[in-house]
Amino acid sequence: MLVQTLFFIFSTILVLAAVAVITARNPVYSALALVMCFVTSAAIWLLIEAEFLAVVLVLVYVGAVMVLFLFVVMMLDINLAELRQGFTRFAWLGWITALAVIVEIAGVIWARGGMGIDVARGAVPHPADYSNTLELGRILYTQYAYPLELAAMLLLVAIVAAITLTMRHRPGLKKQDVDAQVAVKSADRLRIVKMEAEKRP
């Protein structure tokens, strides 16, 4: 009973935070709402005894990926007024994309005959020597080894693209010139002035 109550509490917070991600006007607030989504998702993972996934979700996504997102949002210097002006022009494309995602999810659930989980029963408790980390690693590096490598390459491309966007030329941007710093001479930076000694009265 307690587990079901906690599940409904966390799932409600998760849905509300997910709605806040796509409805927030400020991208920083949207990123913070996404952090709330990750934290509540980790709590739900804990309820089904997937401790490793919960810890990884908090440490990797909340601690690293979301910090990267916030840095990218801050450094891109997005013009919010201009972004809001073009929102209604491309809203139809967003609705079509959302509808396509919903149809795909419903199709997968229908093709598999449901989620494959008996909701009438709770999670089966595992023995003390059971390791979900071992089971997850065994599946990832055997059955899903190639998709895992592909996801790693996509994340690498995304990080490089984010760095490239922040390094673009903008008016008023101060950029480091390494060649000029290396080629500088001491005479260009330091000027020795000879002054006569003065006696204090």
Side-chain angles (χ1 to χ4, degrees):
M1 184 64 181
L2 178 61
V3 174
Q4 293 180 353
T5 304
L6 291 176
F7 171 76
F8 285 118
I9 292 174
F10 288 134
S11 60
T12 303
I13 297 174
L14 176 60
V15 172
L16 294 177
V19 172
V21 170
I22 60 176
T23 57
R25 294 180 177 270
N26 194 321
V28 177
Y29 294 158
S30 179
L32 292 176
L34 190 57
V35 171
M36 180 61 70
C37 288
F38 288 149
V39 172
T40 50
S41 298
I44 294 176
W45 281 115
L46 285 175
L47 294 178
I48 59 175
E49 299 182 6
E51 297 87 1
F52 176 75
L53 293 177
V55 171
V56 168
L57 190 62
V58 172
L59 292 181
V60 176
Y61 283 92
V62 177
V65 177
M66 286 311 305
V67 173
L68 177 64
F69 282 176
L70 286 175
F71 272 113
V72 170
V73 168
M74 295 293 188
M75 288 189 294
L76 284 181
D77 194 17
I78 300 174
N79 190 350
L80 297 179
E82 184 179 353
L83 186 65
R84 291 170 186 170
Q85 290 177 357
F87 175 76
T88 56
R89 186 172 54 182
F90 298 103
W92 61 273
L93 183 60
W95 285 110
I96 292 176
T97 305
L99 182 61
V101 172
I102 293 172
V103 170
E104 288 178 0
I105 294 174
V108 170
I109 295 175
W110 179 78
R112 297 187 60 179
M115 298 296 294
I117 301 175
D118 187 5
V119 295
R121 298 184 303 168
V124 179
H126 297 291
D129 58 347
Y130 176 79
S131 174
N132 54 17
T133 308
L134 177 62
E135 295 296 330
L136 182 63
R138 183 177 298 164
I139 293 176
L140 281 179
Y141 292 102
T142 55
Q143 186 176 356
Y144 297 101
Y146 291 119
L148 181 66
E149 295 295 329
L150 180 61
M153 291 300 298
L154 289 176
L155 286 175
L156 178 62
V157 172
I159 292 173
V160 173
I163 295 173
T164 305
L165 286 175
T166 58
M167 295 297 292
R168 73 186 192 276
H169 294 283
R170 288 177 290 177
L173 179 65
K174 295 182 179 179
K175 188 176 180 181
Q176 183 180 11
D177 192 351
V178 180
D179 295 333
Q181 291 176 342
V182 174
V184 72
K185 298 180 180 179
S186 59
D188 300 332
R189 299 292 184 181
L190 181 64
R191 184 166 60 95
I192 301 176
V193 179
K194 186 177 181 180
M195 299 179 63
E196 297 294 336
E198 296 180 0
K199 186 178 179 180
R200 292 185 179 181

